[in-house]
Amino acid sequence: MKKSKYFLAVFFGKLSAIGLKILKRNIPYYPGYVALKICPDFLKMVKKPKLIIAVTGTNGKSTICSLLKDSLENLGLKVINNNGFNIDTGIAAMFLNQKKNSDVAILEVDEKTSGEIFESVIPNYLLCTNLFRDSMKTNSSIDYVLSQIQKGVPKTTKLLLNADDLFTVELGLGRENVYFGMEKKYGKGDSNHHFCDLIYCPKCGEELQFLDRKYYHIGNVKCPKCGLTNPKRDYNATIDEQKKILKINDYEFPLKVTSIFNIYNYIAVISLLLELGYKVPEIQKVVKNSKITDSRFHETKLNNLTIINHMAKGQNPVACSSVLKYVKDEPGSKCVLLMLDDVTDNRYSSETVAWYYDTDFDCLNDTSIKEVIIGGKRSKDLYVALLLANVSKDKIVRVDNEFDMPLKINFQNIDKIFLLHDITSYEQSMKIEEEIKREFSK
Protein backbone atom coordinates (compact mmCIF):
# COMPACT_ATOMS: atom_id res chain seq x y z
CA MET A 1 0.00 0.00 0.00
CA LYS A 2 2.81 2.42 0.91
CA LYS A 3 4.66 1.69 -2.32
CA SER A 4 1.58 2.33 -4.43
CA LYS A 5 1.04 5.67 -2.65
CA TYR A 6 4.69 6.55 -3.25
CA PHE A 7 4.49 5.84 -7.00
CA LEU A 8 1.24 7.82 -7.24
CA ALA A 9 2.94 10.70 -5.39
CA VAL A 10 5.81 10.68 -7.89
CA PHE A 11 3.45 10.53 -10.87
CA PHE A 12 1.08 13.29 -9.78
CA GLY A 13 3.88 15.42 -8.33
CA LYS A 14 5.70 15.43 -11.66
CA LEU A 15 2.40 15.91 -13.51
CA SER A 16 1.67 19.01 -11.43
CA ALA A 17 5.14 20.37 -12.32
CA ILE A 18 4.29 19.98 -16.02
CA GLY A 19 0.93 21.68 -15.43
CA LEU A 20 2.64 24.65 -13.74
CA LYS A 21 4.95 25.07 -16.75
CA ILE A 22 2.01 25.00 -19.16
CA LEU A 23 0.13 27.58 -17.06
CA LYS A 24 3.35 29.63 -16.61
CA ARG A 25 2.92 29.61 -12.84
CA ASN A 26 6.05 29.86 -10.70
CA ILE A 27 5.22 27.80 -7.58
CA PRO A 28 8.34 25.63 -7.15
CA TYR A 29 7.20 23.92 -3.93
CA TYR A 30 3.76 22.89 -5.22
CA PRO A 31 4.79 19.50 -6.72
CA GLY A 32 6.21 18.65 -3.29
CA TYR A 33 2.93 19.63 -1.67
CA VAL A 34 1.07 17.27 -4.03
CA ALA A 35 3.51 14.40 -3.36
CA LEU A 36 3.25 14.75 0.43
CA LYS A 37 -0.55 14.95 0.30
CA ILE A 38 -0.71 11.64 -1.52
CA CYS A 39 2.15 9.95 0.39
CA PRO A 40 3.03 11.47 3.79
CA ASP A 41 6.11 9.18 3.92
CA PHE A 42 7.39 10.45 0.58
CA LEU A 43 10.54 12.02 2.06
CA LYS A 44 11.46 8.80 3.85
CA MET A 45 10.97 6.66 0.74
CA VAL A 46 12.41 8.81 -2.04
CA LYS A 47 15.87 7.91 -3.34
CA LYS A 48 18.57 10.25 -2.03
CA PRO A 49 22.20 10.98 -2.91
CA LYS A 50 24.90 9.42 -0.74
CA LEU A 51 26.04 12.81 0.54
CA ILE A 52 23.43 15.07 2.18
CA ILE A 53 24.42 18.46 3.59
CA ALA A 54 21.83 20.39 5.60
CA VAL A 55 22.13 24.09 6.42
CA THR A 56 20.00 25.72 9.13
CA GLY A 57 20.10 28.75 11.43
CA THR A 58 18.54 32.21 11.46
CA ASN A 59 20.53 34.16 8.88
CA GLY A 60 22.68 33.17 5.91
CA LYS A 61 21.10 29.83 4.97
CA SER A 62 20.22 30.67 1.36
CA THR A 63 23.53 32.42 0.70
CA ILE A 64 25.58 29.52 2.08
CA CYS A 65 23.55 26.95 0.13
CA SER A 66 24.02 28.93 -3.09
CA LEU A 67 27.77 29.29 -2.53
CA LEU A 68 28.08 25.60 -1.66
CA LYS A 69 26.11 24.55 -4.72
CA ASP A 70 28.29 26.64 -7.03
CA SER A 71 31.47 25.41 -5.36
CA LEU A 72 30.61 21.70 -5.48
CA GLU A 73 29.38 21.92 -9.06
CA ASN A 74 32.65 23.61 -10.04
CA LEU A 75 34.43 20.74 -8.30
CA GLY A 76 32.65 18.35 -10.64
CA LEU A 77 29.72 17.08 -8.55
CA LYS A 78 26.07 16.78 -9.55
CA VAL A 79 24.19 18.83 -6.97
CA ILE A 80 20.52 19.25 -6.08
CA ASN A 81 19.25 22.07 -3.86
CA ASN A 82 15.83 23.27 -2.70
CA ASN A 83 16.64 26.91 -3.60
CA GLY A 84 15.30 28.58 -0.47
CA PHE A 85 12.01 26.65 -0.20
CA ASN A 86 13.11 25.31 3.16
CA ILE A 87 10.16 23.38 4.59
CA ASP A 88 9.00 19.85 3.75
CA THR A 89 7.14 20.75 0.54
CA GLY A 90 10.17 22.54 -0.95
CA ILE A 91 12.49 19.66 -0.05
CA ALA A 92 10.04 17.10 -1.48
CA ALA A 93 9.84 19.13 -4.73
CA MET A 94 13.64 19.09 -4.92
CA PHE A 95 13.78 15.29 -4.72
CA LEU A 96 10.97 15.00 -7.31
CA ASN A 97 12.99 17.14 -9.68
CA GLN A 98 16.37 15.51 -9.08
CA LYS A 99 18.36 14.10 -11.95
CA LYS A 100 19.57 10.51 -11.90
CA ASN A 101 22.80 9.77 -10.06
CA SER A 102 23.03 13.07 -8.17
CA ASP A 103 26.15 13.17 -5.99
CA VAL A 104 25.00 15.51 -3.24
CA ALA A 105 21.86 17.15 -1.89
CA ILE A 106 22.22 20.55 -0.22
CA LEU A 107 19.18 21.18 1.94
CA GLU A 108 18.28 24.59 3.27
CA VAL A 109 16.19 23.70 6.33
CA ASP A 110 13.95 26.03 8.32
CA GLU A 111 15.35 26.01 11.85
CA LYS A 112 11.99 25.65 13.59
CA THR A 113 10.85 22.65 11.53
CA SER A 114 14.27 21.03 11.13
CA GLY A 115 13.43 18.24 13.62
CA GLU A 116 10.50 17.11 11.46
CA ILE A 117 12.65 17.10 8.31
CA PHE A 118 15.44 15.09 9.93
CA GLU A 119 13.02 12.32 10.85
CA SER A 120 12.80 11.56 7.13
CA VAL A 121 16.05 12.90 5.67
CA ILE A 122 19.22 12.18 7.65
CA PRO A 123 22.07 14.52 6.67
CA ASN A 124 25.72 13.51 6.79
CA TYR A 125 26.58 17.08 7.79
CA LEU A 126 24.52 19.81 9.43
CA LEU A 127 25.88 23.36 9.28
CA CYS A 128 24.29 25.87 11.66
CA THR A 129 25.02 29.50 10.79
CA ASN A 130 23.79 31.39 13.88
CA LEU A 131 20.70 31.78 16.08
CA PHE A 132 19.03 35.16 16.59
CA ARG A 133 15.56 36.38 17.39
CA ASP A 134 13.52 36.39 14.19
CA SER A 135 9.92 36.92 13.12
CA MET A 136 7.54 37.38 16.05
CA LYS A 137 5.04 35.16 14.28
CA THR A 138 7.35 32.15 13.98
CA ASN A 139 10.88 32.20 15.41
CA SER A 140 10.95 34.91 18.07
CA SER A 141 12.12 32.60 20.89
CA ILE A 142 15.72 31.42 20.45
CA ASP A 143 15.41 28.88 23.26
CA TYR A 144 12.42 27.26 21.56
CA VAL A 145 14.09 27.16 18.14
CA LEU A 146 17.27 25.74 19.70
CA SER A 147 15.27 22.98 21.41
CA GLN A 148 13.56 22.09 18.10
CA ILE A 149 16.90 21.65 16.35
CA GLN A 150 18.46 19.77 19.28
CA LYS A 151 15.76 17.16 19.52
CA GLY A 152 15.75 16.52 15.78
CA VAL A 153 19.45 16.18 14.91
CA PRO A 154 20.25 12.52 14.16
CA LYS A 155 23.07 10.93 16.18
CA THR A 156 24.97 10.01 13.01
CA THR A 157 25.05 13.60 11.70
CA LYS A 158 28.29 15.54 12.03
CA LEU A 159 27.75 19.17 13.05
CA LEU A 160 29.64 22.17 11.71
CA LEU A 161 28.93 25.04 14.09
CA ASN A 162 29.68 28.73 14.54
CA ALA A 163 32.02 28.88 17.56
CA ASP A 164 31.37 32.62 17.90
CA ASP A 165 27.69 32.08 18.75
CA LEU A 166 27.18 30.40 22.15
CA PHE A 167 23.59 29.50 21.21
CA THR A 168 24.82 27.57 18.18
CA VAL A 169 27.62 26.03 20.26
CA GLU A 170 25.00 24.38 22.50
CA LEU A 171 23.94 22.19 19.57
CA GLY A 172 27.33 20.48 19.63
CA LEU A 173 27.28 19.38 23.26
CA GLY A 174 27.60 15.59 23.40
CA ARG A 175 27.69 15.24 19.60
CA GLU A 176 30.37 14.86 16.94
CA ASN A 177 31.16 18.37 15.82
CA VAL A 178 33.67 20.84 14.45
CA TYR A 179 33.69 24.61 14.93
CA PHE A 180 34.47 27.58 12.69
CA GLY A 181 34.85 31.24 13.59
CA MET A 182 37.16 34.20 14.16
CA GLU A 183 39.31 34.14 17.27
CA LYS A 184 40.89 37.53 16.76
CA LYS A 185 39.10 40.84 16.85
CA TYR A 186 37.78 42.05 13.50
CA GLY A 187 38.24 45.75 12.78
CA LYS A 188 34.61 46.38 11.86
CA GLY A 189 33.16 44.83 14.98
CA ASP A 190 30.35 46.76 16.64
CA SER A 191 28.68 46.56 20.05
CA ASN A 192 26.41 49.56 19.54
CA HIS A 193 23.14 47.73 18.87
CA HIS A 194 19.61 48.23 20.19
CA PHE A 195 19.49 44.78 21.76
CA CYS A 196 21.53 41.67 22.45
CA ASP A 197 20.05 38.17 22.69
CA LEU A 198 22.89 36.86 24.84
CA ILE A 199 23.55 38.79 28.05
CA TYR A 200 23.71 36.13 30.75
CA CYS A 201 25.70 32.91 30.88
CA PRO A 202 23.52 29.98 29.69
CA LYS A 203 25.34 27.76 32.20
CA CYS A 204 25.31 29.72 35.50
CA GLY A 205 23.32 32.91 34.83
CA GLU A 206 26.15 35.38 35.48
CA GLU A 207 26.42 38.43 33.21
CA LEU A 208 28.79 37.62 30.35
CA GLN A 209 31.86 39.60 29.33
CA PHE A 210 32.42 40.19 25.62
CA LEU A 211 36.15 40.18 24.88
CA ASP A 212 35.27 41.35 21.38
CA ARG A 213 32.01 41.54 19.50
CA LYS A 214 31.78 41.00 15.74
CA TYR A 215 28.09 41.91 15.68
CA TYR A 216 25.28 41.47 18.20
CA HIS A 217 26.19 38.41 20.33
CA ILE A 218 28.59 36.99 17.76
CA GLY A 219 32.13 37.20 19.14
CA ASN A 220 34.51 36.11 21.87
CA VAL A 221 32.69 35.73 25.20
CA LYS A 222 33.70 34.70 28.71
CA CYS A 223 31.74 34.14 31.90
CA PRO A 224 33.58 35.69 34.88
CA LYS A 225 31.99 33.21 37.27
CA CYS A 226 32.08 29.72 35.71
CA GLY A 227 34.59 30.42 32.93
CA LEU A 228 32.32 29.41 30.03
CA THR A 229 33.81 30.64 26.78
CA ASN A 230 33.91 29.87 23.08
CA PRO A 231 35.16 26.41 22.12
CA LYS A 232 38.41 25.97 20.25
CA ARG A 233 37.89 26.67 16.56
CA ASP A 234 38.83 23.82 14.24
CA TYR A 235 38.69 26.33 11.39
CA ASN A 236 40.01 29.63 12.69
CA ALA A 237 39.74 32.66 10.40
CA THR A 238 41.62 35.94 10.31
CA ILE A 239 41.21 38.79 7.86
CA ASP A 240 43.71 41.03 6.11
CA GLU A 241 41.51 43.89 4.98
CA GLN A 242 44.25 45.73 3.09
CA LYS A 243 45.24 42.72 0.99
CA LYS A 244 41.64 41.46 0.87
CA ILE A 245 42.63 38.03 2.10
CA LEU A 246 40.64 35.62 4.27
CA LYS A 247 43.00 33.27 6.08
CA ILE A 248 41.68 30.01 7.57
CA ASN A 249 44.18 27.84 9.46
CA ASP A 250 46.99 29.72 7.66
CA TYR A 251 45.53 28.95 4.22
CA GLU A 252 44.75 32.07 2.19
CA PHE A 253 41.52 32.64 0.25
CA PRO A 254 40.34 35.72 -1.66
CA LEU A 255 38.11 37.97 0.45
CA LYS A 256 35.09 38.36 -1.80
CA VAL A 257 32.95 40.53 0.49
CA THR A 258 33.30 43.28 3.08
CA SER A 259 30.10 42.85 5.11
CA ILE A 260 30.74 40.92 8.32
CA PHE A 261 27.69 38.64 7.95
CA ASN A 262 28.77 37.57 4.45
CA ILE A 263 32.35 37.05 5.64
CA TYR A 264 30.94 34.48 8.09
CA ASN A 265 29.03 32.86 5.22
CA TYR A 266 32.28 32.39 3.30
CA ILE A 267 34.09 31.08 6.39
CA ALA A 268 31.33 28.49 6.83
CA VAL A 269 31.47 27.38 3.19
CA ILE A 270 35.28 27.11 3.09
CA SER A 271 35.30 25.24 6.42
CA LEU A 272 32.82 22.69 5.11
CA LEU A 273 34.80 22.19 1.89
CA LEU A 274 37.94 21.60 3.95
CA GLU A 275 36.01 19.18 6.16
CA LEU A 276 34.89 17.29 3.05
CA GLY A 277 38.54 16.76 2.20
CA TYR A 278 39.00 19.04 -0.79
CA LYS A 279 42.49 20.40 -1.37
CA VAL A 280 43.23 24.04 -0.66
CA PRO A 281 44.11 25.00 -4.28
CA GLU A 282 40.79 23.55 -5.43
CA ILE A 283 38.87 25.54 -2.82
CA GLN A 284 40.81 28.74 -3.59
CA LYS A 285 39.81 28.42 -7.24
CA VAL A 286 36.10 27.84 -6.65
CA VAL A 287 35.91 30.59 -4.00
CA LYS A 288 37.53 33.04 -6.40
CA ASN A 289 34.87 32.25 -9.01
CA SER A 290 31.89 32.20 -6.64
CA LYS A 291 29.42 34.99 -6.03
CA ILE A 292 26.42 35.66 -3.84
CA THR A 293 23.10 34.99 -5.56
CA ASP A 294 21.65 38.00 -7.39
CA SER A 295 18.42 37.96 -5.39
CA ARG A 296 20.49 38.66 -2.25
CA PHE A 297 23.03 41.11 -3.66
CA HIS A 298 24.05 42.56 -6.98
CA GLU A 299 25.43 45.86 -8.20
CA THR A 300 25.20 47.80 -11.45
CA LYS A 301 27.57 50.52 -12.69
CA LEU A 302 26.17 53.52 -14.58
CA ASN A 303 29.04 55.88 -15.43
CA ASN A 304 30.10 57.22 -12.01
CA LEU A 305 27.02 55.88 -10.22
CA THR A 306 26.75 52.45 -8.59
CA ILE A 307 23.34 50.91 -7.86
CA ILE A 308 23.43 48.21 -5.19
CA ASN A 309 20.36 46.01 -4.83
CA HIS A 310 20.61 44.27 -1.45
CA MET A 311 18.17 42.14 0.51
CA ALA A 312 17.43 43.40 4.05
CA LYS A 313 15.39 40.61 5.61
CA GLY A 314 12.14 41.93 7.08
CA GLN A 315 10.81 40.95 10.53
CA ASN A 316 14.47 40.26 11.38
CA PRO A 317 16.22 43.21 13.08
CA VAL A 318 19.66 41.57 13.08
CA ALA A 319 19.70 40.86 9.35
CA CYS A 320 18.31 44.29 8.49
CA SER A 321 20.64 46.14 10.89
CA SER A 322 23.67 44.27 9.55
CA VAL A 323 22.85 45.52 6.07
CA LEU A 324 22.32 49.07 7.33
CA LYS A 325 25.74 49.02 9.00
CA TYR A 326 27.28 47.72 5.80
CA VAL A 327 25.69 50.64 3.92
CA LYS A 328 27.01 53.09 6.52
CA ASP A 329 30.57 51.70 6.29
CA GLU A 330 30.73 51.77 2.49
CA PRO A 331 32.73 54.72 1.09
CA GLY A 332 31.20 57.53 -0.95
CA SER A 333 28.05 59.66 -0.86
CA LYS A 334 24.91 57.56 -0.73
CA CYS A 335 21.17 57.56 -1.28
CA VAL A 336 19.20 54.77 0.43
CA LEU A 337 15.83 53.45 -0.74
CA LEU A 338 13.97 51.36 1.84
CA MET A 339 11.21 48.98 0.75
CA LEU A 340 10.74 46.88 3.88
CA ASP A 341 7.11 45.88 3.34
CA ASP A 342 6.23 42.21 3.29
CA VAL A 343 4.32 41.61 0.03
CA THR A 344 2.23 39.01 1.86
CA ASP A 345 0.88 41.63 4.29
CA ASN A 346 -2.63 41.15 2.96
CA ARG A 347 -2.56 37.37 3.48
CA TYR A 348 -0.33 35.48 5.91
CA SER A 349 1.97 38.11 7.39
CA SER A 350 1.82 39.03 11.07
CA GLU A 351 1.67 42.69 9.95
CA THR A 352 3.73 43.70 12.97
CA VAL A 353 6.13 46.63 12.82
CA ALA A 354 7.54 46.12 16.33
CA TRP A 355 10.78 44.83 14.78
CA TYR A 356 11.46 48.32 13.41
CA TYR A 357 12.24 49.44 16.96
CA ASP A 358 14.88 46.74 17.44
CA THR A 359 16.55 47.74 14.16
CA ASP A 360 19.60 50.01 14.05
CA PHE A 361 18.11 52.67 11.80
CA ASP A 362 20.44 55.17 13.46
CA CYS A 363 23.09 53.89 11.03
CA LEU A 364 21.31 56.12 8.53
CA ASN A 365 22.34 59.19 10.58
CA ASP A 366 25.76 59.01 8.96
CA THR A 367 26.77 62.15 7.06
CA SER A 368 27.71 60.07 4.00
CA ILE A 369 24.01 59.20 3.56
CA LYS A 370 22.45 62.21 1.86
CA GLU A 371 18.91 60.98 1.26
CA VAL A 372 16.65 58.23 2.65
CA ILE A 373 13.58 57.45 0.54
CA ILE A 374 10.81 55.21 1.87
CA GLY A 375 7.65 53.90 0.26
CA GLY A 376 4.95 51.27 0.51
CA LYS A 377 2.15 50.20 2.84
CA ARG A 378 4.29 50.49 5.97
CA SER A 379 6.08 53.71 4.97
CA LYS A 380 4.35 55.83 7.63
CA ASP A 381 5.35 53.36 10.36
CA LEU A 382 8.86 53.33 8.97
CA TYR A 383 8.92 57.13 8.92
CA VAL A 384 8.15 57.22 12.66
CA ALA A 385 10.84 54.61 13.37
CA LEU A 386 13.42 56.66 11.47
CA LEU A 387 12.52 59.83 13.37
CA LEU A 388 12.81 57.98 16.70
CA ALA A 389 16.25 56.79 15.56
CA ASN A 390 17.17 60.49 15.15
CA VAL A 391 17.49 60.30 11.38
CA SER A 392 17.24 63.90 10.19
CA LYS A 393 13.76 64.77 8.96
CA ASP A 394 15.38 66.89 6.25
CA LYS A 395 16.82 63.89 4.44
CA ILE A 396 13.79 61.58 4.68
CA VAL A 397 11.43 61.45 1.69
CA ARG A 398 8.25 59.36 1.97
CA VAL A 399 5.91 58.23 -0.81
CA ASP A 400 2.84 56.02 -0.58
CA ASN A 401 3.75 53.93 -3.62
CA GLU A 402 7.23 52.35 -3.57
CA PHE A 403 7.36 52.50 -7.37
CA ASP A 404 7.44 56.31 -7.09
CA MET A 405 10.68 56.26 -5.05
CA PRO A 406 13.01 56.63 -8.09
CA LEU A 407 11.28 59.92 -8.96
CA LYS A 408 12.51 61.42 -5.67
CA ILE A 409 16.22 60.63 -6.05
CA ASN A 410 18.56 63.61 -6.17
CA PHE A 411 21.33 62.26 -8.42
CA GLN A 412 23.64 65.21 -7.84
CA ASN A 413 26.80 64.41 -5.86
CA ILE A 414 25.68 60.80 -5.24
CA ASP A 415 28.18 57.96 -5.75
CA LYS A 416 25.98 55.02 -4.73
CA ILE A 417 22.30 54.18 -4.49
CA PHE A 418 21.34 51.36 -2.13
CA LEU A 419 18.01 49.69 -2.84
CA LEU A 420 17.20 47.63 0.26
CA HIS A 421 14.31 45.20 -0.17
CA ASP A 422 12.54 42.55 1.89
CA ILE A 423 12.95 38.83 1.25
CA THR A 424 9.59 38.63 -0.53
CA SER A 425 9.97 41.74 -2.69
CA TYR A 426 12.94 41.02 -4.95
CA GLU A 427 10.84 41.17 -8.14
CA GLN A 428 9.44 44.56 -7.12
CA SER A 429 12.97 45.79 -6.35
CA MET A 430 14.10 44.83 -9.87
CA LYS A 431 11.31 46.93 -11.39
CA ILE A 432 12.31 49.87 -9.18
CA GLU A 433 15.95 49.38 -10.19
CA GLU A 434 15.00 49.62 -13.86
CA GLU A 435 13.09 52.82 -13.13
CA ILE A 436 16.16 54.25 -11.35
CA LYS A 437 18.21 53.57 -14.48
CA ARG A 438 15.62 55.35 -16.64
CA GLU A 439 15.54 58.38 -14.33
CA PHE A 440 19.33 58.57 -14.27
CA SER A 441 19.54 58.51 -18.08
CA LYS A 442 17.13 61.44 -18.49
Side-chain angles (χ1 to χ4, degrees):
M1 185 66 177
K2 278 190 176 182
K3 282 190 176 181
S4 61
K5 281 188 175 182
Y6 170 75
F7 289 121
L8 284 171
V10 172
F11 175 78
F12 283 106
K14 290 187 174 183
L15 187 64
S16 69
I18 294 170
L20 289 171
K21 284 184 180 180
I22 293 171
L23 295 171
K24 296 182 179 180
R25 298 289 300 276
N26 183 27
I27 316 175
Y29 62 86
Y30 186 74
Y33 169 80
V34 171
L36 288 170
K37 271 291 184 184
I38 295 170
C39 179
D41 290 329
F42 175 80
L43 283 175
K44 287 182 181 178
M45 300 175 69
V46 70
K47 184 180 178 182
K48 306 173 184 72
K50 289 184 179 179
L51 178 59
I52 299 176
I53 300 167
V55 180
T56 194
T58 305
N59 297 320
K61 297 186 293 294
S62 295
T63 298
I64 286 175
C65 286
S66 175
L67 290 171
L68 268 178
K69 182 176 183 292
D70 285 350
S71 298
L72 291 174
E73 285 179 339
N74 288 329
L75 288 165
L77 298 184
K78 296 178 182 177
V79 183
I80 56 173
N81 174 234
N82 51 322
N83 296 316
F85 297 95
N86 58 24
I87 59 174
D88 56 356
T89 53
I91 294 170
M94 176 197 72
F95 284 123
L96 271 174
N97 195 41
Q98 69 180 316
K99 296 176 182 178
K100 288 184 178 180
N101 302 318
S102 296
D103 298 305
V104 56
I106 300 173
L107 310 184
E108 178 182 335
V109 183
D110 173 69
E111 56 273 27
K112 191 182 72 172
T113 61
S114 59
E116 299 170 17
I117 300 297
F118 296 149
E119 288 179 3
S120 303
V121 183
I122 299 176
N124 303 89
Y125 293 89
L126 171 62
L127 189 157
C128 188
T129 58
N130 47 62
L131 289 171
F132 291 105
R133 69 175 72 177
D134 201 353
S135 166
M136 288 187 177
K137 184 180 179 183
T138 55
N139 297 348
S140 59
S141 169
I142 296 176
D143 291 333
Y144 173 70
V145 172
L146 180 62
S147 70
Q148 294 300 103
I149 303 173
Q150 282 175 321
K151 75 179 184 181
V153 178
K155 292 181 180 179
T156 57
T157 298
K158 190 170 188 177
L159 304 182
L160 188 70
L161 305 172
N162 186 348
D164 302 343
D165 176 4
L166 287 191
F167 287 120
T168 304
V169 166
E170 283 195 49
L171 290 174
L173 301 179
R175 300 177 185 273
E176 184 182 9
N177 62 75
V178 293
Y179 293 103
F180 65 88
M182 282 191 278
E183 185 176 355
K184 291 185 178 180
K185 187 173 182 178
Y186 176 55
K188 292 184 179 180
D190 189 7
S191 59
N192 186 27
H193 298 297
H194 284 196
F195 73 88
C196 179
D197 287 317
L198 186 65
I199 297 174
Y200 301 104
C201 176
K203 187 175 179 181
C204 72
E206 185 73 11
E207 186 170 350
L208 290 166
Q209 293 177 350
F210 278 85
L211 307 179
D212 76 79
R213 198 189 300 253
K214 309 302 192 299
Y215 66 111
Y216 288 89
H217 65 262
I218 306 296
N220 286 287
V221 186
K222 186 174 182 180
C223 175
K225 185 176 180 180
C226 72
L228 180 70
T229 189
N230 307 78
K232 182 181 177 183
R233 297 158 182 82
D234 300 275
Y235 298 101
N236 187 34
T238 57
I239 296 168
D240 187 327
E241 293 180 70
Q242 289 186 337
K243 295 181 180 179
K244 292 188 176 181
I245 290 173
L246 175 63
K247 190 179 286 188
I248 299 179
N249 293 1
D250 295 325
Y251 300 121
E252 293 185 350
F253 303 90
L255 185 61
K256 299 280 292 182
V257 293
T258 57
S259 51
I260 183 64
F261 49 94
N262 276 323
I263 287 173
Y264 268 96
N265 291 337
Y266 271 95
I267 294 171
V269 169
I270 294 168
S271 299
L272 182 54
L273 293 175
L274 288 168
E275 188 66 23
L276 289 171
Y278 288 101
K279 295 178 181 178
V280 171
E282 293 177 307
I283 301 173
Q284 289 169 332
K285 184 177 179 181
V286 296
V287 169
K288 185 177 181 180
N289 294 327
S290 67
K291 69 171 187 174
I292 295 171
T293 183
D294 283 348
S295 64
R296 260 54 183 175
F297 175 92
H298 70 265
E299 65 177 42
T300 306
K301 299 272 188 183
L302 297 175
N303 296 328
N304 295 324
L305 179 71
T306 302
I307 302 172
I308 298 170
N309 191 320
H310 201 313
M311 189 189 79
K313 191 176 178 183
Q315 302 291 325
N316 185 313
V318 172
C320 189
S321 297
S322 298
V323 174
L324 292 173
K325 186 177 186 303
Y326 160 72
V327 171
K328 174 187 173 183
D329 290 339
E330 280 291 285
S333 296
K334 293 155 276 190
C335 171
V336 179
L337 278 65
L338 297 177
M339 46 182 304
L340 300 180
D341 288 348
D342 185 341
V343 298
T344 62
D345 266 349
N346 288 334
R347 298 179 66 201
Y348 306 117
S349 175
S350 60
E351 298 189 12
T352 179
V353 295
W355 69 278
Y356 284 168
Y357 303 99
D358 281 336
T359 302
D360 299 331
F361 285 119
D362 43 350
C363 289
L364 300 176
N365 287 331
D366 196 78
T367 54
S368 68
I369 298 171
K370 306 302 181 184
E371 191 175 24
V372 180
I373 305 174
I374 55 179
K377 293 178 182 176
R378 298 285 179 262
S379 60
K380 291 181 180 178
D381 295 302
L382 187 54
Y383 183 70
V384 172
L386 292 176
L387 292 178
L388 289 173
N390 293 318
V391 178
S392 172
K393 185 177 181 180
D394 294 335
K395 68 178 180 182
I396 304 174
V397 179
R398 190 196 72 79
V399 293
D400 289 325
N401 188 335
E402 59 262 42
F403 293 103
D404 291 335
M405 290 194 294
L407 303 175
K408 302 297 182 179
I409 297 174
N410 182 358
F411 290 98
Q412 292 184 348
N413 301 318
I414 292 293
D415 302 309
K416 296 177 181 177
I417 295 175
F418 286 87
L419 176 55
L420 307 184
H421 63 87
D422 203 340
I423 194 169
T424 59
S425 49
Y426 174 65
E427 292 181 7
Q428 289 85 343
S429 77
M430 289 302 298
K431 292 177 182 178
I432 291 172
E433 183 179 326
E434 290 304 312
E435 188 59 36
I436 293 172
K437 294 174 185 177
R438 283 191 286 271
E439 287 297 316
F440 179 74
S441 64
K442 287 181 178 179

